[in-house]
Amino acid sequence: MMIQIALGSGLLLASILIAGVSFWAMEVAILRFRPWLVRAPHTPKLLVVLLTAAVWILAQLTVGVWLWALTFLGLGIFPTLEEAVYFALVVFTTLGFGDILLPVDWRLLGGMASLNGLLNIGLVTAVLVETMRQIKLHQMKQIS
């Protein structure tokens, strides 16, 4: 049990570190393009930011899923990469089909992967909303 908790905690921390670095990089990119973003017309630029952020977030979440999947595969929990990725994706998104299960010896990792997915999805939602809010505020300042 302690091995699962230690391993799962390490994966959670690694995933959050990856998310943090990803958010920092996205912030740097937005700051770099800020002069362009605050110039009119605003609506098409907000759409570009939204689409770019969505793709960026999808990539960041994909890295988290692969981190878990490769761990499952490395531990020999699943015989194929496809099964490991499928299980990691289903658990990370908290979909929880239940058609593929972890062995009893490793079942705590499933809950921790699910917790990781919930946390990451909450974080990316907050970052996306705050990013759009900040850009809109800067655009409004430029107008007045």
Side-chain angles (χ1 to χ4, degrees), residues 9-28:
S9 296
L11 289 168
L12 278 160
L13 290 173
S15 178
I16 297 305
L17 178 64
I18 290 166
V21 169
S22 175
F23 296 150
W24 171 76
M26 186 168 55
E27 183 179 6
V28 168

Side-chain angles (χ1 to χ4, degrees), residues 21-81:
V21 169
S22 175
F23 296 150
W24 171 76
M26 186 168 55
E27 183 179 6
V28 168
I30 287 172
L31 286 173
R32 184 171 180 216
F33 289 102
R34 184 175 166 191
W36 176 76
L37 289 169
V38 296
R39 286 193 314 256
H42 295 134
T43 303
K45 292 175 183 173
L46 284 175
L47 181 60
V48 167
V49 169
L50 181 63
L51 292 174
T52 303
V55 170
W56 198 306
I57 288 167
L58 182 60
Q60 181 254 313
L61 290 173
T62 300
V63 169
V65 168
W66 276 93
L67 181 67
W68 282 93
L70 292 174
T71 300
F72 292 142
L73 190 66
L75 290 170
I77 294 172
F78 295 109
T80 66
L81 180 61

